[in-house]
Amino acid sequence: MKTQFRLIDQRFKGVDRLLDETFAEFENMKKDVFKAVASKVVEFSPVDTGTYMDAHNITIGRSGSATDMSSKGKARKRPRSPHETSALSRLNGQIDAMGPEQKSAFIGNSSHHGMVVEYGGPKTPAYAPYTRARAASKSIIAYVLMGYGKL
């Protein structure tokens, strides 16, 4: 006969509540880290027509995006602020929509010139917003943990 026992039962009053609060705090920390990394990607992103900034997106479960955005026919030398605000709002909304079961997410870009912006091209320097944000991620995680009093 198999022996079973409940790890947490009524004798440990408040433990269920404490665990629920702890898991909720971890969920908030995860989203805060994702938002801070997304913010760095946006901060490091160049703006000319706004297409690149508008093409940042969060995917869950697999990388990539079906949408392929082009800047063809768009005005150049656009102001940064409206595109930055829109991108941050969209990315934060995508992160907020994540459920607690989703432990990881991918941030990517679906513009035609995404690879050139990241790695450079014959006439274009590498801006490397994703590489730079990834390099900042350890300090972002530490900052978020300190904000929750965990470091």
Side-chain angles (χ1 to χ4, degrees), residues 93-110:
Q94 291 170 341
I95 291 166
D96 285 336
M98 291 174 65
E101 72 283 356
Q102 294 156 330
K103 305 293 184 233
S104 65
F106 296 89
I107 184 166
N109 194 286
S110 57

Side-chain angles (χ1 to χ4, degrees), residues 2 35 103 125 143:
K2 188 160 75 171
K35 287 178 180 181
K103 305 293 184 233
Y143 180 79

Side-chain angles (χ1 to χ4, degrees), residues 27-59:
E27 178 66 14
N28 291 334
M29 281 189 271
K30 175 185 76 176
K31 288 183 178 183
D32 287 348
V33 167
F34 289 167
K35 287 178 180 181
V37 171
S39 178
K40 284 294 182 189
V41 168
V42 170
E43 176 187 330
F44 297 142
S45 295
V47 175
D48 184 21
T49 64
T51 301
Y52 183 77
M53 188 84 75
D54 293 341
H56 290 308
N57 57 72
I58 302 286
T59 56

Side-chain angles (χ1 to χ4, degrees), residues 6-147:
R6 182 176 279 175
L7 290 174
I8 298 172
D9 62 20
Q10 289 73 24
R11 291 177 287 176
F12 296 103
K13 295 187 187 293
V15 171
D16 284 338
R17 181 184 51 76
L18 180 62
L19 286 173
D20 288 343
E21 290 171 3
T22 301
F23 290 137
E25 187 176 48
F26 285 141
E27 178 66 14
N28 291 334
M29 281 189 271
K30 175 185 76 176
K31 288 183 178 183
D32 287 348
V33 167
F34 289 167
K35 287 178 180 181
V37 171
S39 178
K40 284 294 182 189
V41 168
V42 170
E43 176 187 330
F44 297 142
S45 295
V47 175
D48 184 21
T49 64
T51 301
Y52 183 77
M53 188 84 75
D54 293 341
H56 290 308
N57 57 72
I58 302 286
T59 56
I60 297 160
R62 63 178 183 80
S63 63
S65 173
T67 308
D68 196 11
M69 298 178 73
S70 172
S71 58
K72 187 174 182 174
K74 288 187 174 182
R76 298 184 73 122
K77 301 198 187 311
R78 304 277 307 244
R80 178 178 184 80
S81 183
H83 296 286
E84 188 173 64
T85 301
S86 174
L88 284 173
S89 177
R90 184 182 60 262
L91 293 171
N92 286 341
Q94 291 170 341
I95 291 166
D96 285 336
M98 291 174 65
E101 72 283 356
Q102 294 156 330
K103 305 293 184 233
S104 65
F106 296 89
I107 184 166
N109 194 286
S110 57
S111 70
H112 282 297
H113 51 285
M115 296 295 277
V116 173
V117 172
E118 183 67 26
Y119 301 108
K123 299 177 186 177
T124 308
Y127 288 92
Y130 290 95
T131 301
R132 293 166 63 196
R134 184 174 41 240
S137 65
K138 284 185 181 178
S139 60
I140 288 169
I141 291 168
Y143 180 79
V144 169
L145 290 173
M146 283 191 310

